[in-house]
mmCIF file of all heavy atoms in Angstrom:
data_model
loop_
_atom_site.group_PDB
_atom_site.id
_atom_site.type_symbol
_atom_site.label_atom_id
_atom_site.label_comp_id
_atom_site.label_asym_id
_atom_site.label_seq_id
_atom_site.Cartn_x
_atom_site.Cartn_y
_atom_site.Cartn_z
ATOM 1 N N ASN A 1 88.504 212.051 47.686
ATOM 2 C CA ASN A 1 89.685 211.276 47.298
ATOM 3 C C ASN A 1 90.453 210.802 48.541
ATOM 4 O O ASN A 1 90.773 209.622 48.678
ATOM 5 C CB ASN A 1 90.584 212.154 46.416
ATOM 6 C CG ASN A 1 91.642 211.352 45.682
ATOM 7 O OD1 ASN A 1 91.439 210.183 45.369
ATOM 8 N ND2 ASN A 1 92.775 211.965 45.420
ATOM 9 N N ARG A 2 90.720 211.736 49.474
ATOM 10 C CA ARG A 2 91.457 211.341 50.686
ATOM 11 C C ARG A 2 90.623 210.391 51.548
ATOM 12 O O ARG A 2 91.163 209.500 52.201
ATOM 13 C CB ARG A 2 91.890 212.580 51.486
ATOM 14 C CG ARG A 2 92.971 213.390 50.777
ATOM 15 C CD ARG A 2 93.746 214.315 51.704
ATOM 16 N NE ARG A 2 93.058 215.521 52.102
ATOM 17 C CZ ARG A 2 92.989 216.647 51.389
ATOM 18 N NH1 ARG A 2 93.562 216.712 50.194
ATOM 19 N NH2 ARG A 2 92.358 217.713 51.848
ATOM 20 N N SER A 3 89.300 210.596 51.524
ATOM 21 C CA SER A 3 88.413 209.692 52.290
ATOM 22 C C SER A 3 88.445 208.283 51.724
ATOM 23 O O SER A 3 88.433 207.298 52.462
ATOM 24 C CB SER A 3 86.971 210.205 52.262
ATOM 25 O OG SER A 3 86.904 211.470 52.866
ATOM 26 N N SER A 4 88.466 208.190 50.388
ATOM 27 C CA SER A 4 88.513 206.871 49.744
ATOM 28 C C SER A 4 89.810 206.161 50.096
ATOM 29 O O SER A 4 89.828 204.956 50.348
ATOM 30 C CB SER A 4 88.396 207.021 48.219
ATOM 31 O OG SER A 4 87.207 207.713 47.897
ATOM 32 N N MET A 5 90.920 206.937 50.145
ATOM 33 C CA MET A 5 92.210 206.329 50.503
ATOM 34 C C MET A 5 92.265 205.977 51.991
ATOM 35 O O MET A 5 92.957 205.042 52.386
ATOM 36 C CB MET A 5 93.360 207.247 50.090
ATOM 37 C CG MET A 5 93.564 207.230 48.579
ATOM 38 S SD MET A 5 95.005 208.139 48.050
ATOM 39 C CE MET A 5 94.368 209.797 48.041
ATOM 40 N N THR A 6 91.505 206.711 52.811
ATOM 41 C CA THR A 6 91.400 206.375 54.236
ATOM 42 C C THR A 6 90.742 204.997 54.369
ATOM 43 O O THR A 6 91.202 204.138 55.127
ATOM 44 C CB THR A 6 90.536 207.433 54.974
ATOM 45 O OG1 THR A 6 91.145 208.710 54.806
ATOM 46 C CG2 THR A 6 90.379 207.129 56.445
ATOM 47 N N PHE A 7 89.682 204.799 53.593
ATOM 48 C CA PHE A 7 88.959 203.519 53.584
ATOM 49 C C PHE A 7 89.906 202.384 53.186
ATOM 50 O O PHE A 7 89.959 201.335 53.834
ATOM 51 C CB PHE A 7 87.785 203.626 52.602
ATOM 52 C CG PHE A 7 87.053 202.334 52.356
ATOM 53 C CD1 PHE A 7 86.163 201.834 53.304
ATOM 54 C CD2 PHE A 7 87.232 201.628 51.172
ATOM 55 C CE1 PHE A 7 85.478 200.649 53.080
ATOM 56 C CE2 PHE A 7 86.552 200.434 50.948
ATOM 57 C CZ PHE A 7 85.678 199.945 51.896
ATOM 58 N N LEU A 8 90.700 202.612 52.120
ATOM 59 C CA LEU A 8 91.614 201.582 51.622
ATOM 60 C C LEU A 8 92.739 201.314 52.628
ATOM 61 O O LEU A 8 93.179 200.178 52.800
ATOM 62 C CB LEU A 8 92.197 202.006 50.270
ATOM 63 C CG LEU A 8 91.163 202.177 49.139
ATOM 64 C CD1 LEU A 8 91.774 202.870 47.926
ATOM 65 C CD2 LEU A 8 90.565 200.835 48.731
ATOM 66 N N THR A 9 93.197 202.381 53.295
ATOM 67 C CA THR A 9 94.253 202.240 54.315
ATOM 68 C C THR A 9 93.745 201.406 55.487
ATOM 69 O O THR A 9 94.424 200.501 55.981
ATOM 70 C CB THR A 9 94.687 203.643 54.819
ATOM 71 O OG1 THR A 9 95.208 204.382 53.714
ATOM 72 C CG2 THR A 9 95.738 203.547 55.906
ATOM 73 N N ARG A 10 92.526 201.716 55.938
ATOM 74 C CA ARG A 10 91.944 200.960 57.053
ATOM 75 C C ARG A 10 91.802 199.482 56.677
ATOM 76 O O ARG A 10 92.063 198.591 57.488
ATOM 77 C CB ARG A 10 90.581 201.557 57.422
ATOM 78 C CG ARG A 10 90.689 202.848 58.218
ATOM 79 C CD ARG A 10 89.351 203.537 58.398
ATOM 80 N NE ARG A 10 89.437 204.680 59.317
ATOM 81 C CZ ARG A 10 88.614 205.710 59.311
ATOM 82 N NH1 ARG A 10 87.611 205.761 58.434
ATOM 83 N NH2 ARG A 10 88.757 206.700 60.173
ATOM 84 N N GLN A 11 91.424 199.231 55.418
ATOM 85 C CA GLN A 11 91.282 197.842 54.958
ATOM 86 C C GLN A 11 92.622 197.122 54.984
ATOM 87 O O GLN A 11 92.725 195.985 55.431
ATOM 88 C CB GLN A 11 90.741 197.840 53.526
ATOM 89 C CG GLN A 11 89.234 197.962 53.449
ATOM 90 C CD GLN A 11 88.742 197.556 52.064
ATOM 91 O OE1 GLN A 11 89.383 197.833 51.053
ATOM 92 N NE2 GLN A 11 87.618 196.888 52.016
ATOM 93 N N ALA A 12 93.665 197.815 54.473
ATOM 94 C CA ALA A 12 95.000 197.199 54.401
ATOM 95 C C ALA A 12 95.505 196.838 55.797
ATOM 96 O O ALA A 12 96.042 195.744 56.018
ATOM 97 C CB ALA A 12 95.973 198.149 53.706
ATOM 98 N N PHE A 13 95.333 197.749 56.767
ATOM 99 C CA PHE A 13 95.791 197.490 58.137
ATOM 100 C C PHE A 13 94.978 196.365 58.785
ATOM 101 O O PHE A 13 95.531 195.476 59.432
ATOM 102 C CB PHE A 13 95.684 198.764 58.985
ATOM 103 C CG PHE A 13 96.941 199.590 58.998
ATOM 104 C CD1 PHE A 13 97.338 200.307 57.879
ATOM 105 C CD2 PHE A 13 97.747 199.646 60.129
ATOM 106 C CE1 PHE A 13 98.490 201.076 57.880
ATOM 107 C CE2 PHE A 13 98.913 200.411 60.148
ATOM 108 C CZ PHE A 13 99.285 201.125 59.023
ATOM 109 N N ALA A 14 93.654 196.431 58.608
ATOM 110 C CA ALA A 14 92.781 195.424 59.231
ATOM 111 C C ALA A 14 93.144 194.018 58.733
ATOM 112 O O ALA A 14 93.213 193.058 59.510
ATOM 113 C CB ALA A 14 91.324 195.745 58.921
ATOM 114 N N LYS A 15 93.425 193.934 57.434
ATOM 115 C CA LYS A 15 93.762 192.649 56.811
ATOM 116 C C LYS A 15 95.096 192.132 57.378
ATOM 117 O O LYS A 15 95.222 190.972 57.764
ATOM 118 C CB LYS A 15 93.867 192.886 55.301
ATOM 119 C CG LYS A 15 93.745 191.647 54.455
ATOM 120 C CD LYS A 15 93.565 192.089 53.007
ATOM 121 C CE LYS A 15 93.897 190.960 52.052
ATOM 122 N NZ LYS A 15 93.909 191.464 50.667
ATOM 123 N N GLN A 16 96.083 193.038 57.432
ATOM 124 C CA GLN A 16 97.418 192.643 57.878
ATOM 125 C C GLN A 16 97.415 192.195 59.353
ATOM 126 O O GLN A 16 98.085 191.245 59.724
ATOM 127 C CB GLN A 16 98.396 193.818 57.689
ATOM 128 C CG GLN A 16 99.837 193.508 58.091
ATOM 129 C CD GLN A 16 100.462 192.408 57.245
ATOM 130 O OE1 GLN A 16 100.440 192.466 56.025
ATOM 131 N NE2 GLN A 16 100.974 191.365 57.901
ATOM 132 N N PHE A 17 96.625 192.904 60.178
ATOM 133 C CA PHE A 17 96.651 192.607 61.620
ATOM 134 C C PHE A 17 95.456 191.760 62.060
ATOM 135 O O PHE A 17 95.219 191.577 63.252
ATOM 136 C CB PHE A 17 96.742 193.907 62.433
ATOM 137 C CG PHE A 17 98.070 194.589 62.269
ATOM 138 C CD1 PHE A 17 98.220 195.650 61.385
ATOM 139 C CD2 PHE A 17 99.186 194.131 62.964
ATOM 140 C CE1 PHE A 17 99.454 196.260 61.198
ATOM 141 C CE2 PHE A 17 100.429 194.729 62.790
ATOM 142 C CZ PHE A 17 100.565 195.796 61.911
ATOM 143 N N ASN A 18 94.714 191.263 61.051
ATOM 144 C CA ASN A 18 93.593 190.369 61.316
ATOM 145 C C ASN A 18 92.680 190.951 62.404
ATOM 146 O O ASN A 18 92.372 190.322 63.404
ATOM 147 C CB ASN A 18 94.139 188.994 61.735
ATOM 148 C CG ASN A 18 93.081 187.930 61.550
ATOM 149 O OD1 ASN A 18 92.071 188.174 60.886
ATOM 150 N ND2 ASN A 18 93.284 186.776 62.144
ATOM 151 N N SER A 19 92.294 192.217 62.174
ATOM 152 C CA SER A 19 91.525 192.953 63.177
ATOM 153 C C SER A 19 90.509 193.818 62.440
ATOM 154 O O SER A 19 90.263 193.629 61.252
ATOM 155 C CB SER A 19 92.509 193.803 63.988
ATOM 156 O OG SER A 19 91.834 194.488 65.010
ATOM 157 N N THR A 20 89.928 194.788 63.141
ATOM 158 C CA THR A 20 89.039 195.746 62.467
ATOM 159 C C THR A 20 89.656 197.142 62.624
ATOM 160 O O THR A 20 90.377 197.390 63.608
ATOM 161 C CB THR A 20 87.635 195.775 63.096
ATOM 162 O OG1 THR A 20 87.768 196.265 64.439
ATOM 163 C CG2 THR A 20 87.003 194.397 63.101
ATOM 164 N N PRO A 21 89.368 198.061 61.692
ATOM 165 C CA PRO A 21 89.893 199.427 61.825
ATOM 166 C C PRO A 21 89.494 200.045 63.163
ATOM 167 O O PRO A 21 90.258 200.785 63.771
ATOM 168 C CB PRO A 21 89.246 200.178 60.665
ATOM 169 C CG PRO A 21 88.948 199.128 59.644
ATOM 170 C CD PRO A 21 88.611 197.896 60.435
ATOM 171 N N ASP A 22 88.284 199.692 63.643
ATOM 172 C CA ASP A 22 87.785 200.218 64.916
ATOM 173 C C ASP A 22 88.659 199.730 66.077
ATOM 174 O O ASP A 22 89.077 200.513 66.933
ATOM 175 C CB ASP A 22 86.343 199.739 65.113
ATOM 176 C CG ASP A 22 85.525 200.749 65.872
ATOM 177 O OD1 ASP A 22 86.057 201.842 66.139
ATOM 178 O OD2 ASP A 22 84.369 200.451 66.209
ATOM 179 N N ASP A 23 88.943 198.428 66.083
ATOM 180 C CA ASP A 23 89.774 197.864 67.160
ATOM 181 C C ASP A 23 91.206 198.389 67.088
ATOM 182 O O ASP A 23 91.911 198.408 68.095
ATOM 183 C CB ASP A 23 89.774 196.331 67.095
ATOM 184 C CG ASP A 23 88.452 195.752 67.587
ATOM 185 O OD1 ASP A 23 87.714 196.486 68.282
ATOM 186 O OD2 ASP A 23 88.141 194.594 67.262
ATOM 187 N N LEU A 24 91.630 198.792 65.890
ATOM 188 C CA LEU A 24 92.978 199.367 65.745
ATOM 189 C C LEU A 24 92.972 200.871 66.037
ATOM 190 O O LEU A 24 93.995 201.532 65.900
ATOM 191 C CB LEU A 24 93.516 199.108 64.320
ATOM 192 C CG LEU A 24 93.809 197.649 63.964
ATOM 193 C CD1 LEU A 24 94.118 197.504 62.478
ATOM 194 C CD2 LEU A 24 94.965 197.096 64.792
ATOM 195 N N ASP A 25 91.796 201.407 66.392
ATOM 196 C CA ASP A 25 91.653 202.830 66.747
ATOM 197 C C ASP A 25 92.100 203.745 65.604
ATOM 198 O O ASP A 25 92.772 204.755 65.822
ATOM 199 C CB ASP A 25 92.448 203.130 68.034
ATOM 200 C CG ASP A 25 92.099 204.503 68.610
ATOM 201 O OD1 ASP A 25 90.936 204.906 68.497
ATOM 202 O OD2 ASP A 25 93.000 205.196 69.134
ATOM 203 N N MET A 26 91.708 203.394 64.361
ATOM 204 C CA MET A 26 92.198 204.149 63.194
ATOM 205 C C MET A 26 91.357 205.395 62.926
ATOM 206 O O MET A 26 90.695 205.534 61.895
ATOM 207 C CB MET A 26 92.274 203.248 61.963
ATOM 208 C CG MET A 26 93.316 202.147 62.139
ATOM 209 S SD MET A 26 93.611 201.220 60.644
ATOM 210 C CE MET A 26 94.620 202.352 59.691
ATOM 211 N N HIS A 27 91.403 206.313 63.888
ATOM 212 C CA HIS A 27 90.639 207.553 63.777
ATOM 213 C C HIS A 27 91.417 208.613 63.017
ATOM 214 O O HIS A 27 92.652 208.643 63.055
ATOM 215 C CB HIS A 27 90.284 208.082 65.172
ATOM 216 C CG HIS A 27 89.174 207.307 65.813
ATOM 217 N ND1 HIS A 27 87.849 207.615 65.614
ATOM 218 C CD2 HIS A 27 89.190 206.230 66.619
ATOM 219 C CE1 HIS A 27 87.089 206.763 66.281
ATOM 220 N NE2 HIS A 27 87.877 205.906 66.893
ATOM 221 N N VAL A 28 90.673 209.497 62.348
ATOM 222 C CA VAL A 28 91.305 210.639 61.684
ATOM 223 C C VAL A 28 91.631 211.683 62.759
ATOM 224 O O VAL A 28 90.738 212.135 63.478
ATOM 225 C CB VAL A 28 90.352 211.267 60.620
ATOM 226 C CG1 VAL A 28 90.926 212.574 60.084
ATOM 227 C CG2 VAL A 28 90.117 210.286 59.469
ATOM 228 N N ILE A 29 92.919 212.039 62.878
ATOM 229 C CA ILE A 29 93.302 213.115 63.804
ATOM 230 C C ILE A 29 92.834 214.442 63.216
ATOM 231 O O ILE A 29 92.172 215.233 63.861
ATOM 232 C CB ILE A 29 94.831 213.113 64.058
ATOM 233 C CG1 ILE A 29 95.213 211.891 64.896
ATOM 234 C CG2 ILE A 29 95.271 214.416 64.742
ATOM 235 C CD1 ILE A 29 96.704 211.761 65.194
ATOM 236 N N TYR A 30 93.191 214.662 61.946
ATOM 237 C CA TYR A 30 92.712 215.878 61.266
ATOM 238 C C TYR A 30 93.008 215.771 59.777
ATOM 239 O O TYR A 30 93.804 214.928 59.338
ATOM 240 C CB TYR A 30 93.374 217.137 61.859
ATOM 241 C CG TYR A 30 92.505 218.382 61.715
ATOM 242 C CD1 TYR A 30 91.215 218.410 62.236
ATOM 243 C CD2 TYR A 30 92.964 219.514 61.049
ATOM 244 C CE1 TYR A 30 90.397 219.531 62.091
ATOM 245 C CE2 TYR A 30 92.151 220.641 60.906
ATOM 246 C CZ TYR A 30 90.870 220.635 61.435
ATOM 247 O OH TYR A 30 90.064 221.744 61.289
ATOM 248 N N ASP A 31 92.342 216.610 59.004
ATOM 249 C CA ASP A 31 92.576 216.708 57.556
ATOM 250 C C ASP A 31 92.612 218.190 57.220
ATOM 251 O O ASP A 31 91.655 218.913 57.502
ATOM 252 C CB ASP A 31 91.428 215.997 56.810
ATOM 253 C CG ASP A 31 91.540 216.105 55.290
ATOM 254 O OD1 ASP A 31 91.630 217.253 54.776
ATOM 255 O OD2 ASP A 31 91.516 215.072 54.595
ATOM 256 N N VAL A 32 93.737 218.648 56.668
ATOM 257 C CA VAL A 32 93.859 220.074 56.314
ATOM 258 C C VAL A 32 94.191 220.243 54.840
ATOM 259 O O VAL A 32 94.848 219.409 54.229
ATOM 260 C CB VAL A 32 94.963 220.805 57.124
ATOM 261 C CG1 VAL A 32 94.541 221.031 58.548
ATOM 262 C CG2 VAL A 32 96.294 220.078 57.049
ATOM 263 N N SER A 33 93.727 221.362 54.335
ATOM 264 C CA SER A 33 94.013 221.727 52.945
ATOM 265 C C SER A 33 95.176 222.706 52.932
ATOM 266 O O SER A 33 95.295 223.528 53.829
ATOM 267 C CB SER A 33 92.768 222.400 52.372
ATOM 268 O OG SER A 33 93.118 223.066 51.185
ATOM 269 N N HIS A 34 96.035 222.641 51.893
ATOM 270 C CA HIS A 34 97.033 223.704 51.786
ATOM 271 C C HIS A 34 97.086 224.347 50.392
ATOM 272 O O HIS A 34 98.087 224.938 50.027
ATOM 273 C CB HIS A 34 98.428 223.250 52.263
ATOM 274 C CG HIS A 34 98.925 221.965 51.678
ATOM 275 N ND1 HIS A 34 99.386 220.926 52.462
ATOM 276 C CD2 HIS A 34 99.062 221.562 50.405
ATOM 277 C CE1 HIS A 34 99.775 219.938 51.674
ATOM 278 N NE2 HIS A 34 99.597 220.299 50.424
ATOM 279 N N ASN A 35 95.998 224.204 49.621
ATOM 280 C CA ASN A 35 95.865 224.908 48.336
ATOM 281 C C ASN A 35 94.403 225.288 48.152
ATOM 282 O O ASN A 35 93.639 224.543 47.541
ATOM 283 C CB ASN A 35 96.255 223.984 47.157
ATOM 284 C CG ASN A 35 97.742 223.958 46.876
ATOM 285 O OD1 ASN A 35 98.526 224.612 47.540
ATOM 286 N ND2 ASN A 35 98.141 223.198 45.872
ATOM 287 N N ILE A 36 94.007 226.447 48.670
ATOM 288 C CA ILE A 36 92.566 226.752 48.658
ATOM 289 C C ILE A 36 92.339 228.254 48.875
ATOM 290 O O ILE A 36 93.217 228.950 49.383
ATOM 291 C CB ILE A 36 91.857 225.911 49.756
ATOM 292 C CG1 ILE A 36 90.389 225.680 49.425
ATOM 293 C CG2 ILE A 36 92.068 226.487 51.141
ATOM 294 C CD1 ILE A 36 89.794 224.476 50.122
ATOM 295 N N ALA A 37 91.169 228.736 48.458
ATOM 296 C CA ALA A 37 90.766 230.121 48.781
ATOM 297 C C ALA A 37 89.410 230.046 49.469
ATOM 298 O O ALA A 37 88.503 229.372 48.970
ATOM 299 C CB ALA A 37 90.664 230.952 47.506
ATOM 300 N N LYS A 38 89.294 230.717 50.628
ATOM 301 C CA LYS A 38 88.046 230.614 51.388
ATOM 302 C C LYS A 38 87.665 231.953 52.011
ATOM 303 O O LYS A 38 88.536 232.754 52.352
ATOM 304 C CB LYS A 38 88.209 229.586 52.515
ATOM 305 C CG LYS A 38 88.325 228.169 51.987
ATOM 306 C CD LYS A 38 88.130 227.135 53.061
ATOM 307 C CE LYS A 38 89.031 227.376 54.228
ATOM 308 N NZ LYS A 38 89.058 226.254 55.156
ATOM 309 N N ILE A 39 86.357 232.147 52.166
ATOM 310 C CA ILE A 39 85.869 233.373 52.812
ATOM 311 C C ILE A 39 85.908 233.153 54.325
ATOM 312 O O ILE A 39 85.326 232.187 54.839
ATOM 313 C CB ILE A 39 84.443 233.708 52.335
ATOM 314 C CG1 ILE A 39 84.462 233.997 50.822
ATOM 315 C CG2 ILE A 39 83.876 234.897 53.108
ATOM 316 C CD1 ILE A 39 83.107 234.075 50.164
ATOM 317 N N GLU A 40 86.635 234.017 55.012
ATOM 318 C CA GLU A 40 86.789 233.914 56.464
ATOM 319 C C GLU A 40 86.662 235.302 57.092
ATOM 320 O O GLU A 40 86.863 236.311 56.409
ATOM 321 C CB GLU A 40 88.179 233.359 56.824
ATOM 322 C CG GLU A 40 88.411 231.938 56.343
ATOM 323 C CD GLU A 40 89.851 231.462 56.518
ATOM 324 O OE1 GLU A 40 90.712 232.243 56.993
ATOM 325 O OE2 GLU A 40 90.115 230.298 56.153
#
């Protein structure tokens, strides 16, 4: 879900600035969960 919205966000910015997400350096800094149970 968050990945799909990342795709849509990159599209919106690229369209507005007449560029590409790559040229705008739209990299993911990080993605964290805050509702989860995991074996660690």
Side-chain angles (χ1 to χ4, degrees):
N1 194 29
R2 291 200 284 277
S3 298
S4 303
M5 286 186 278
T6 301
F7 173 76
L8 297 168
T9 299
R10 283 171 172 155
Q11 276 196 323
F13 268 72
K15 200 168 161 188
Q16 181 63 52
F17 291 99
N18 200 14
S19 183
T20 65
D22 212 6
D23 286 342
L24 293 171
D25 192 35
M26 295 188 76
H27 284 273
V28 171
I29 290 179
Y30 207 57
D31 177 305
V32 287
S33 165
H34 50 232
N35 275 0
I36 206 158
K38 291 195 307 191
I39 297 169
E40 296 172 358

